Coordinates of all heavy atoms in Angstrom, one line a residue:
M1 N 82.9 95.1 90.1 CA 83.3 96.3 90.7 C 83.2 96.3 92.2 O 84.0 96.8 92.9 CB 82.4 97.5 90.2 CG 83.0 98.2 89.0 SD 84.7 98.3 88.9 CE 84.9 98.6 87.2
E2 N 82.1 95.6 92.6 CA 81.8 95.5 94.1 C 83.0 94.8 94.8 O 83.4 95.2 95.8 CB 80.5 94.8 94.3 CG 79.3 95.7 94.4 CD 78.1 94.9 94.8 OE1 78.2 94.1 95.7 OE2 77.1 95.0 94.0
L3 N 83.4 93.7 94.1 CA 84.5 92.9 94.7 C 85.8 93.7 94.8 O 86.5 93.7 95.8 CB 84.7 91.7 93.8 CG 85.3 90.5 94.5 CD1 84.3 89.8 95.5 CD2 85.9 89.5 93.5
E4 N 86.1 94.4 93.7 CA 87.3 95.2 93.7 C 87.3 96.3 94.8 O 88.3 96.5 95.4 CB 87.4 95.9 92.3 CG 88.5 96.9 92.2 CD 89.9 96.3 92.3 OE1 90.0 95.1 92.2 OE2 90.9 97.1 92.5
Y5 N 86.1 96.9 94.9 CA 86.0 98.0 96.0 C 86.2 97.4 97.4 O 86.9 97.9 98.2 CB 84.6 98.6 95.9 CG 84.3 99.6 97.0 CD1 84.9 100.9 97.0 CD2 83.5 99.2 98.1 CE1 84.6 101.8 98.0 CE2 83.3 100.1 99.1 CZ 83.8 101.4 99.0 OH 83.6 102.3 100.0
R6 N 85.6 96.2 97.6 CA 85.8 95.6 98.9 C 87.2 95.2 99.2 O 87.7 95.3 100.3 CB 84.9 94.3 99.0 CG 84.3 94.1 100.4 CD 83.2 93.0 100.4 NE 82.1 93.3 99.4 CZ 81.4 92.3 98.8 NH1 81.7 91.1 99.1 NH2 80.4 92.7 98.1
R7 N 87.9 94.7 98.1 CA 89.3 94.3 98.2 C 90.1 95.5 98.6 O 91.0 95.4 99.5 CB 89.7 93.7 96.9 CG 90.8 92.6 96.9 CD 90.9 92.0 95.6 NE 91.2 92.9 94.5 CZ 92.5 93.3 94.2 NH1 93.5 92.7 94.9 NH2 92.7 94.1 93.3
R8 N 89.9 96.6 98.0 CA 90.7 97.8 98.3 C 90.4 98.3 99.7 O 91.4 98.7 100.4 CB 90.2 99.0 97.3 CG 91.0 99.0 96.0 CD 90.3 99.9 95.1 NE 90.8 99.6 93.7 CZ 91.6 100.4 93.0 NH1 92.0 101.6 93.5 NH2 92.0 100.1 91.8
R9 N 89.2 98.2 100.1 CA 88.8 98.7 101.5 C 89.5 97.8 102.5 O 90.1 98.3 103.5 CB 87.3 98.7 101.7 CG 86.9 99.6 102.8 CD 85.4 99.8 102.8 NE 84.7 98.5 102.8 CZ 83.4 98.4 103.0 NH1 82.7 99.4 103.2 NH2 82.8 97.2 102.9
T10 N 89.5 96.5 102.3 CA 90.2 95.6 103.2 C 91.7 95.9 103.3 O 92.2 95.9 104.3 CB 90.0 94.1 102.7 OG1 88.6 93.9 102.4 CG2 90.4 93.2 103.8
R11 N 92.3 96.2 102.1 CA 93.7 96.5 102.1 C 94.0 97.7 102.8 O 95.0 97.8 103.6 CB 94.1 96.6 100.6 CG 95.3 95.7 100.3 CD 95.5 95.6 98.8 NE 95.6 96.9 98.1 CZ 95.5 97.0 96.8 NH1 95.3 96.0 96.0 NH2 95.6 98.2 96.2
V12 N 93.2 98.7 102.7 CA 93.4 100.0 103.4 C 93.3 99.8 104.9 O 94.1 100.2 105.6 CB 92.3 101.1 102.9 CG1 92.3 102.3 103.9 CG2 92.6 101.5 101.5
F13 N 92.3 99.1 105.3 CA 92.1 98.8 106.7 C 93.3 98.1 107.3 O 93.8 98.4 108.4 CB 90.8 98.1 107.0 CG 89.6 99.0 107.0 CD1 88.4 98.6 106.4 CD2 89.6 100.2 107.7 CE1 87.3 99.4 106.4 CE2 88.5 101.0 107.8 CZ 87.4 100.6 107.1
R14 N 93.7 97.1 106.6 CA 94.9 96.3 107.1 C 96.1 97.1 107.2 O 96.8 97.0 108.2 CB 95.1 95.1 106.1 CG 95.8 94.0 106.8 CD 96.1 92.9 105.8 NE 94.9 92.3 105.2 CZ 94.9 91.9 103.9 NH1 96.0 91.9 103.2 NH2 93.8 91.4 103.4
F15 N 96.3 98.0 106.2 CA 97.5 98.9 106.2 C 97.4 99.8 107.4 O 98.4 100.0 108.1 CB 97.6 99.7 104.9 CG 98.9 100.4 104.8 CD1 100.0 99.8 104.2 CD2 99.0 101.7 105.2 CE1 101.2 100.5 104.1 CE2 100.1 102.4 105.0 CZ 101.2 101.8 104.5
V16 N 96.3 100.4 107.7 CA 96.1 101.4 108.8 C 96.3 100.7 110.1 O 97.0 101.2 111.0 CB 94.7 102.0 108.7 CG1 94.4 102.8 110.0 CG2 94.5 102.9 107.5
M17 N 95.8 99.5 110.2 CA 96.0 98.7 111.4 C 97.5 98.5 111.7 O 98.0 98.7 112.8 CB 95.4 97.3 111.2 CG 93.9 97.2 111.4 SD 93.4 97.4 113.1 CE 91.7 97.1 113.0
L18 N 98.2 98.1 110.6 CA 99.6 97.7 110.8 C 100.5 99.0 111.0 O 101.4 98.9 111.9 CB 100.1 97.1 109.5 CG 101.2 96.1 109.6 CD1 100.8 94.8 110.3 CD2 101.8 95.8 108.2
C19 N 100.2 100.1 110.3 CA 101.1 101.2 110.4 C 100.7 102.2 111.5 O 101.6 102.9 112.0 CB 101.0 102.0 109.1 SG 102.2 101.3 107.9
A20 N 99.5 102.3 111.9 CA 99.1 103.3 112.9 C 98.8 102.7 114.2 O 99.3 103.1 115.3 CB 97.9 104.1 112.4
L21 N 98.0 101.6 114.2 CA 97.5 101.0 115.5 C 98.6 100.2 116.2 O 98.7 100.2 117.4 CB 96.3 100.2 115.3 CG 95.0 101.0 114.9 CD1 93.8 100.1 114.8 CD2 94.8 102.1 115.9
L22 N 99.4 99.5 115.4 CA 100.5 98.7 116.0 C 101.5 99.5 116.7 O 101.8 99.2 117.9 CB 101.1 97.8 114.9 CG 101.9 96.6 115.4 CD1 101.0 95.6 116.0 CD2 102.7 96.0 114.3
P23 N 102.1 100.5 116.1 CA 103.0 101.4 116.9 C 102.4 102.0 118.1 O 103.0 102.2 119.2 CB 103.5 102.4 115.9 CG 103.2 101.9 114.6 CD 102.0 101.0 114.8
F24 N 101.1 102.4 117.9 CA 100.4 103.1 119.0 C 100.2 102.1 120.2 O 100.4 102.4 121.3 CB 99.0 103.5 118.5 CG 98.2 104.3 119.6 CD1 98.6 105.6 119.9 CD2 97.1 103.7 120.2 CE1 97.9 106.2 120.9 CE2 96.4 104.4 121.1 CZ 96.8 105.6 121.5
G25 N 99.9 100.8 119.9 CA 99.7 99.8 120.9 C 101.0 99.6 121.6 O 101.1 99.4 122.8
L26 N 102.1 99.5 120.8 CA 103.4 99.3 121.4 C 103.8 100.5 122.3 O 104.3 100.3 123.4 CB 104.5 99.3 120.3 CG 104.7 97.9 119.7 CD1 105.7 98.0 118.5 CD2 105.2 96.9 120.7
E27 N 103.4 101.7 121.9 CA 103.7 102.9 122.7 C 103.0 102.8 124.0 O 103.5 103.1 125.1 CB 103.3 104.1 121.9 CG 103.3 105.4 122.6 CD 104.8 105.9 122.9 OE1 105.7 105.3 122.4 OE2 105.0 106.9 123.6
M28 N 101.7 102.4 124.0 CA 100.9 102.2 125.2 C 101.6 101.2 126.1 O 101.6 101.4 127.3 CB 99.5 101.8 124.8 CG 98.6 102.8 124.2 SD 98.3 104.2 125.3 CE 99.3 105.5 124.5
L29 N 102.1 100.1 125.5 CA 102.8 99.1 126.3 C 104.1 99.7 127.0 O 104.3 99.5 128.1 CB 103.2 98.0 125.3 CG 103.8 96.7 126.0 CD1 102.6 96.0 126.8 CD2 104.4 95.8 125.0
F30 N 104.8 100.5 126.2 CA 106.0 101.2 126.7 C 105.7 102.0 127.9 O 106.4 102.0 128.9 CB 106.7 102.0 125.6 CG 107.4 101.2 124.6 CD1 107.7 101.8 123.4 CD2 107.7 99.9 124.8 CE1 108.4 101.1 122.4 CE2 108.3 99.2 123.8 CZ 108.7 99.7 122.6
V31 N 104.6 102.8 127.8 CA 104.1 103.7 128.9 C 103.8 102.8 130.1 O 104.1 103.1 131.2 CB 102.9 104.5 128.4 CG1 102.3 105.3 129.6 CG2 103.4 105.5 127.3
Y32 N 103.1 101.7 129.8 CA 102.6 100.8 130.9 C 103.8 100.3 131.7 O 103.8 100.2 132.9 CB 101.8 99.7 130.3 CG 101.2 98.8 131.3 CD1 100.1 99.3 132.1 CD2 101.6 97.5 131.5 CE1 99.5 98.4 133.1 CE2 101.1 96.7 132.4 CZ 100.0 97.1 133.2 OH 99.5 96.3 134.1
V33 N 104.8 99.8 131.0 CA 106.0 99.2 131.7 C 107.0 100.3 132.1 O 108.1 100.0 132.5 CB 106.6 98.1 130.8 CG1 105.7 97.0 130.5 CG2 107.2 98.7 129.6
S34 N 106.6 101.6 131.9 CA 107.5 102.7 132.1 C 108.9 102.5 131.6 O 109.9 102.4 132.3 CB 107.6 103.1 133.6 OG 107.7 102.0 134.4
A35 N 109.0 102.4 130.3 CA 110.2 102.2 129.5 C 111.0 103.5 129.6 O 110.5 104.5 129.8 CB 109.9 101.8 128.1
P36 N 112.3 103.4 129.3 CA 113.2 104.6 129.3 C 112.7 105.6 128.3 O 112.1 105.2 127.3 CB 114.6 104.1 128.9 CG 114.4 102.6 128.5 CD 113.1 102.2 129.1
P37 N 112.9 106.9 128.6 CA 112.4 108.0 127.7 C 112.8 107.9 126.3 O 112.0 108.3 125.4 CB 113.0 109.3 128.3 CG 113.3 108.9 129.7 CD 113.6 107.4 129.7
L38 N 114.0 107.4 126.0 CA 114.4 107.3 124.6 C 113.5 106.3 123.9 O 113.1 106.6 122.7 CB 115.9 106.7 124.6 CG 116.6 106.7 123.3 CD1 116.9 108.2 122.9 CD2 117.9 105.9 123.3
L39 N 113.1 105.2 124.5 CA 112.3 104.2 123.9 C 110.9 104.8 123.7 O 110.2 104.6 122.7 CB 112.2 103.0 124.8 CG 111.8 101.7 124.1 CD1 112.8 101.4 123.0 CD2 111.8 100.5 125.1
L40 N 110.4 105.6 124.7 CA 109.1 106.3 124.6 C 109.0 107.2 123.4 O 108.1 107.2 122.6 CB 108.8 107.0 125.9 CG 108.4 106.2 127.1 CD1 108.1 107.1 128.2 CD2 107.1 105.4 126.7
S41 N 110.1 108.1 123.2 CA 110.0 109.0 122.1 C 110.2 108.3 120.8 O 109.6 108.8 119.8 CB 111.1 110.1 122.3 OG 112.3 109.5 122.6
A42 N 110.9 107.2 120.8 CA 111.0 106.4 119.6 C 109.7 105.9 119.2 O 109.3 105.9 118.0 CB 112.1 105.3 119.7
G43 N 109.0 105.4 120.2 CA 107.6 104.8 119.9 C 106.7 105.9 119.4 O 105.9 105.7 118.5
M44 N 106.8 107.1 120.0 CA 105.9 108.2 119.6 C 106.2 108.6 118.2 O 105.3 108.8 117.4 CB 106.2 109.4 120.5 CG 105.2 110.5 120.4 SD 103.5 109.9 120.8 CE 103.5 110.1 122.6
A45 N 107.5 108.6 117.8 CA 107.9 108.9 116.4 C 107.3 107.9 115.5 O 106.8 108.2 114.4 CB 109.4 109.0 116.3
A46 N 107.4 106.6 115.9 CA 106.9 105.5 115.0 C 105.4 105.7 114.8 O 104.9 105.4 113.7 CB 107.3 104.2 115.6
T47 N 104.7 106.0 115.9 CA 103.3 106.2 115.8 C 102.9 107.3 114.8 O 102.1 107.2 114.0 CB 102.7 106.5 117.2 OG1 103.1 105.5 118.1 CG2 101.2 106.5 117.1
M48 N 103.7 108.5 115.0 CA 103.4 109.6 114.1 C 103.6 109.2 112.6 O 102.8 109.5 111.7 CB 104.4 110.8 114.4 CG 104.0 111.5 115.7 SD 102.2 111.8 115.8 CE 102.2 113.4 116.5
I49 N 104.8 108.6 112.4 CA 105.1 108.2 111.0 C 104.0 107.2 110.5 O 103.6 107.3 109.3 CB 106.5 107.5 111.0 CG1 107.6 108.5 111.2 CG2 106.8 106.8 109.6 CD1 109.0 107.9 111.5
G50 N 103.6 106.3 111.3 CA 102.6 105.4 110.9 C 101.3 106.0 110.5 O 100.7 105.7 109.5
I51 N 100.9 107.1 111.3 CA 99.6 107.8 111.0 C 99.8 108.5 109.7 O 98.9 108.5 108.8 CB 99.3 108.8 112.2 CG1 98.9 107.9 113.4 CG2 98.2 109.7 111.7 CD1 98.7 108.7 114.7
V52 N 100.9 109.2 109.5 CA 101.1 109.9 108.2 C 101.1 109.0 107.1 O 100.5 109.2 106.0 CB 102.4 110.7 108.3 CG1 102.8 111.3 106.9 CG2 102.4 111.8 109.3
A53 N 101.8 107.8 107.2 CA 101.9 106.8 106.2 C 100.5 106.3 105.8 O 100.2 106.1 104.6 CB 102.8 105.7 106.6
S54 N 99.7 106.0 106.8 CA 98.4 105.5 106.5 C 97.5 106.5 105.8 O 96.7 106.2 105.0 CB 97.7 104.9 107.7 OG 97.8 105.8 108.8
N55 N 97.7 107.8 106.2 CA 97.0 108.8 105.5 C 97.3 108.9 104.0 O 96.5 109.0 103.2 CB 97.2 110.2 106.2 CG 96.2 110.4 107.3 OD1 95.0 110.2 107.2 ND2 96.7 110.9 108.4
V56 N 98.6 108.8 103.8 CA 99.1 108.9 102.4 C 98.6 107.7 101.6 O 98.2 107.8 100.5 CB 100.7 108.9 102.4 CG1 101.2 108.7 101.0 CG2 101.2 110.2 102.9
Y57 N 98.6 106.5 102.3 CA 98.1 105.3 101.7 C 96.6 105.4 101.3 O 96.3 105.0 100.2 CB 98.3 104.1 102.6 CG 98.1 102.8 102.0 CD1 99.1 102.2 101.1 CD2 97.0 102.0 102.2 CE1 98.9 101.0 100.5 CE2 96.8 100.8 101.6 CZ 97.7 100.3 100.8 OH 97.5 99.1 100.2
I58 N 95.8 105.9 102.2 CA 94.4 106.1 101.9 C 94.2 107.0 100.8 O 93.5 106.7 99.8 CB 93.7 106.6 103.2 CG1 93.6 105.5 104.3 CG2 92.3 107.1 102.8 CD1 93.1 106.0 105.6
W59 N 95.0 108.1 100.8 CA 94.9 109.1 99.7 C 95.2 108.5 98.4 O 94.6 108.8 97.4 CB 95.9 110.2 100.0 CG 95.8 111.3 99.0 CD1 94.9 112.3 98.9 CD2 96.8 111.6 98.0 NE1 95.2 113.1 97.9 CE2 96.4 112.7 97.3 CE3 98.0 111.0 97.7 CZ2 97.1 113.3 96.3 CZ3 98.7 111.5 96.6 CH2 98.3 112.6 95.9
R60 N 96.2 107.6 98.3 CA 96.6 107.0 97.1 C 95.7 105.8 96.6 O 95.5 105.7 95.4 CB 98.1 106.5 97.2 CG 99.1 107.6 97.0 CD 100.5 107.0 96.9 NE 100.6 106.0 95.9 CZ 101.2 104.8 96.1 NH1 101.8 104.6 97.2 NH2 101.2 103.9 95.1
V61 N 95.2 105.0 97.5 CA 94.6 103.8 97.1 C 93.0 103.9 97.1 O 92.4 103.3 96.3 CB 95.0 102.6 98.0 CG1 94.2 101.4 97.8 CG2 96.5 102.3 97.8
W62 N 92.5 104.7 98.1 CA 91.0 104.7 98.2 C 90.4 105.5 97.1 O 90.0 106.6 97.4 CB 90.7 105.2 99.6 CG 89.3 104.6 100.0 CD1 88.3 104.3 99.2 CD2 88.9 104.3 101.3 NE1 87.2 103.9 99.9 CE2 87.6 103.9 101.2 CE3 89.5 104.5 102.6 CZ2 86.9 103.5 102.4 CZ3 88.8 104.1 103.7 CH2 87.5 103.6 103.6
K63 N 90.3 104.9 96.0 CA 89.6 105.6 94.9 C 88.7 104.7 94.2 O 88.8 103.5 94.3 CB 90.6 106.3 94.0 CG 91.6 105.4 93.4 CD 92.6 106.2 92.6 CE 93.7 105.3 92.0 NZ 94.8 105.9 91.4
C64 N 87.8 105.2 93.3 CA 86.9 104.4 92.6 C 87.7 103.5 91.6 O 88.5 104.0 90.8 CB 85.9 105.3 91.8 SG 84.9 104.4 90.7
P65 N 87.4 102.2 91.6 CA 88.1 101.3 90.7 C 87.8 101.5 89.2 O 88.5 101.1 88.4 CB 87.6 99.9 91.1 CG 86.7 100.0 92.3 CD 86.5 101.5 92.5
A66 N 86.7 102.2 89.0 CA 86.2 102.4 87.6 C 86.8 103.7 87.0 O 87.3 103.7 85.9 CB 84.7 102.4 87.5
C67 N 86.7 104.8 87.8 CA 87.1 106.1 87.2 C 88.2 106.8 87.9 O 88.6 107.8 87.5 CB 85.8 107.0 87.1 SG 85.2 107.5 88.7
G68 N 88.6 106.3 89.1 CA 89.7 106.9 89.8 C 89.2 108.1 90.7 O 90.1 108.8 91.2
F69 N 87.9 108.3 90.8 CA 87.4 109.3 91.7 C 87.8 109.1 93.1 O 87.6 107.9 93.6 CB 85.9 109.4 91.5 CG 85.3 110.5 92.3 CD1 85.2 111.8 91.8 CD2 84.6 110.3 93.5 CE1 84.6 112.8 92.4 CE2 84.0 111.3 94.2 CZ 84.0 112.6 93.7
K70 N 88.4 110.1 93.8 CA 88.8 109.9 95.2 C 87.6 109.7 96.1 O 86.8 110.6 96.3 CB 89.7 111.1 95.6 CG 90.9 111.2 94.8 CD 92.1 110.4 95.4 CE 93.4 110.8 94.9 NZ 93.8 110.0 93.7
L71 N 87.6 108.5 96.8 CA 86.4 108.2 97.6 C 86.5 108.8 99.0 O 85.5 108.8 99.7 CB 86.2 106.7 97.6 CG 85.8 106.1 96.3 CD1 85.8 104.6 96.4 CD2 84.5 106.6 95.8
W72 N 87.6 109.3 99.4 CA 87.8 109.8 100.7 C 87.4 111.2 100.9 O 87.4 111.8 102.0 CB 89.2 109.6 101.2 CG 90.2 110.1 100.2 CD1 90.8 109.4 99.2 CD2 90.7 111.4 100.0 NE1 91.6 110.2 98.5 CE2 91.5 111.4 99.0 CE3 90.4 112.6 100.7 CZ2 92.2 112.6 98.5 CZ3 91.0 113.8 100.3 CH2 91.9 113.8 99.2
V73 N 87.1 111.9 99.8 CA 86.8 113.3 99.8 C 85.6 113.6 100.7 O 84.5 113.1 100.5 CB 86.4 113.8 98.4 CG1 86.0 115.3 98.4 CG2 87.6 113.6 97.4
G74 N 85.9 114.4 101.7 CA 84.8 114.7 102.7 C 84.3 113.5 103.5 O 83.3 113.6 104.1
G75 N 85.0 112.4 103.4 CA 84.6 111.2 104.1 C 83.4 110.5 103.4 O 82.9 109.5 103.9
K76 N 82.9 111.1 102.3 CA 81.8 110.4 101.6 C 81.8 110.6 100.1 O 81.2 111.5 99.6 CB 80.4 110.9 102.2 CG 80.4 112.4 102.4 CD 79.1 112.9 102.8 CE 79.1 114.4 103.0 NZ 77.8 115.0 103.3
G77 N 82.6 109.8 99.5 CA 82.8 110.0 98.0 C 81.7 109.1 97.3 O 81.6 109.1 96.1
T78 N 80.9 108.4 98.1 CA 79.9 107.6 97.5 C 78.5 108.0 98.0 O 78.4 108.6 99.1 CB 80.1 106.1 97.9 OG1 80.1 106.0 99.3 CG2 81.3 105.5 97.3
L79 N 77.5 107.8 97.2 CA 76.1 108.1 97.6 C 75.3 106.8 97.4 O 75.1 106.4 96.3 CB 75.6 109.2 96.8 CG 74.3 109.8 97.2 CD1 74.3 110.5 98.6 CD2 73.7 110.8 96.2
G80 N 74.8 106.2 98.5 CA 74.0 105.0 98.4 C 74.8 103.9 97.7 O 74.2 103.1 97.1
G81 N 76.1 103.9 98.0 CA 76.9 102.8 97.4 C 77.4 103.1 96.0 O 78.1 102.3 95.4
K82 N 77.0 104.3 95.4 CA 77.4 104.6 94.1 C 78.5 105.6 94.1 O 78.5 106.5 94.9 CB 76.2 105.2 93.3 CG 75.2 104.2 92.9 CD 74.3 104.8 91.8 CE 73.3 103.9 91.2 NZ 72.0 104.0 91.9
C83 N 79.5 105.5 93.2 CA 80.5 106.5 93.0 C 80.0 107.8 92.6 O 79.1 107.8 91.7 CB 81.5 105.9 92.0 SG 82.7 107.2 91.5
L84 N 80.4 108.9 93.2 CA 79.9 110.2 92.8 C 80.5 110.7 91.5 O 80.0 111.6 90.9 CB 80.3 111.2 93.9 CG 79.4 111.1 95.2 CD1 79.9 112.2 96.2 CD2 78.0 111.3 94.9
G85 N 81.6 110.0 91.1 CA 82.3 110.4 89.9 C 81.6 109.9 88.6 O 81.3 110.5 87.7
C86 N 81.3 108.5 88.7 CA 80.8 107.9 87.5 C 79.5 107.1 87.7 O 78.9 106.6 86.7 CB 81.9 106.9 86.9 SG 82.3 105.6 88.1
G87 N 79.1 107.0 89.0 CA 77.8 106.3 89.2 C 77.8 104.8 89.3 O 76.8 104.2 89.3
T88 N 79.0 104.3 89.3 CA 79.1 102.8 89.4 C 78.7 102.4 90.8 O 79.1 103.0 91.8 CB 80.6 102.3 89.1 OG1 81.0 102.8 87.9 CG2 80.7 100.8 89.1
Q89 N 77.9 101.3 90.8 CA 77.5 100.7 92.1 C 78.7 100.0 92.7 O 79.2 99.0 92.2 CB 76.4 99.7 91.9 CG 75.7 99.3 93.3 CD 74.8 100.4 93.8 OE1 74.0 101.0 93.0 NE2 74.8 100.6 95.1
L90 N 79.3 100.6 93.8 CA 80.5 100.0 94.4 C 80.2 99.0 95.5 O 80.9 98.1 95.8 CB 81.3 101.2 95.0 CG 81.9 102.1 93.9 CD1 82.6 103.3 94.6 CD2 82.9 101.3 93.0
Y91 N 79.1 99.3 96.3 CA 78.7 98.3 97.3 C 77.2 98.5 97.5 O 76.6 99.6 97.2 CB 79.4 98.5 98.6 CG 79.3 99.8 99.2 CD1 78.3 100.1 100.2 CD2 80.2 100.9 98.9 CE1 78.2 101.3 100.8 CE2 80.1 102.1 99.5 CZ 79.1 102.3 100.4 OH 78.9 103.6 101.0
V92 N 76.6 97.5 98.1 CA 75.1 97.6 98.4 C 75.0 98.0 99.8 O 75.5 97.3 100.7 CB 74.4 96.3 98.1 CG1 72.9 96.4 98.5 CG2 74.6 95.8 96.7
P93 N 74.5 99.2 100.1 CA 74.4 99.7 101.5 C 73.4 98.8 102.2 O 72.3 98.4 101.8 CB 73.8 101.1 101.3 CG 73.8 101.4 99.9 CD 73.9 100.1 99.1
R94 N 73.8 98.5 103.5 CA 73.0 97.7 104.3 C 72.2 98.6 105.2 O 72.7 99.6 105.7 CB 73.8 96.7 105.2 CG 74.4 95.6 104.4 CD 75.4 94.8 105.3 NE 76.6 95.7 105.5 CZ 77.5 95.5 106.4 NH1 77.3 94.5 107.3 NH2 78.5 96.3 106.5
R95 N 71.0 98.3 105.4 CA 70.1 99.1 106.3 C 69.7 98.4 107.5 O 69.3 97.2 107.4 CB 68.8 99.6 105.5 CG 69.1 100.7 104.6 CD 67.9 100.9 103.7 NE 68.2 101.7 102.5 CZ 68.2 103.0 102.6 NH1 68.0 103.7 103.7 NH2 68.5 103.7 101.5
S96 N 69.9 99.0 108.7 CA 69.4 98.4 109.9 C 67.9 98.7 110.1 O 67.3 99.4 109.2 CB 70.2 98.9 111.1 OG 69.9 100.3 111.3
K97 N 67.3 98.2 111.1 CA 65.9 98.4 111.3 C 65.5 99.8 111.5 O 64.5 100.3 111.2 CB 65.4 97.5 112.5 CG 65.1 96.1 112.1 CD 64.8 95.2 113.3 CE 64.9 93.8 113.0 NZ 65.2 93.0 114.2
S98 N 66.5 100.6 112.1 CA 66.2 102.0 112.4 C 66.4 102.8 111.2 O 66.2 104.0 111.2 CB 67.1 102.5 113.5 OG 68.4 102.3 113.2
G99 N 66.8 102.2 110.0 CA 66.9 102.9 108.8 C 68.3 103.5 108.6 O 68.5 104.3 107.6
R100 N 69.2 103.3 109.5 CA 70.6 103.8 109.3 C 71.3 103.0 108.2 O 71.1 101.8 108.1 CB 71.4 103.6 110.6 CG 71.8 105.0 111.2 CD 72.8 104.8 112.3 NE 74.2 104.9 111.8 CZ 75.3 104.8 112.5 NH1 75.1 104.5 113.8 NH2 76.5 104.9 112.0
V101 N 72.1 103.7 107.4 CA 72.8 103.1 106.3 C 74.3 102.9 106.7 O 74.9 103.8 107.2 CB 72.7 103.9 105.1 CG1 73.4 103.2 103.9 CG2 71.2 104.1 104.7
Y102 N 74.7 101.7 106.6 CA 76.2 101.4 106.9 C 76.9 101.3 105.6 O 76.5 100.7 104.6 CB 76.3 100.1 107.7 CG 75.7 100.2 109.0 CD1 74.4 99.7 109.3 CD2 76.4 100.8 110.1 CE1 73.8 99.8 110.5 CE2 75.8 100.9 111.3 CZ 74.5 100.4 111.5 OH 74.0 100.5 112.8
P103 N 78.1 101.9 105.6 CA 78.9 101.8 104.4 C 79.5 100.4 104.1 O 79.7 99.7 105.1 CB 80.0 102.8 104.6 CG 80.1 103.1 106.1 CD 78.8 102.7 106.6
Ligands
ZN1 ZN1 83.7 106.1 89.7

């Protein structure tokens, strides 16, 4: 289960990078080189579409591999690495010296 969860998370991150950050980076480049307005608005549209697409992707994919519980709910669908829906251990939380828990 842990492996499956990590695989999903990596996939989500990669998709968000590709769909939202890449067009955004291009848009910044366009602004930097002062590209024509048509190109700028096209870049802006691509960025918007990318953000919406990555949101939809997260909504569809980021769920518990065991029971399908949506893990993005309120930004914390897990408690101490356990799924709130079925209690499966999805990952082992790492603790820093200050006691902070990283997902
Ligand atoms: Zn679950």
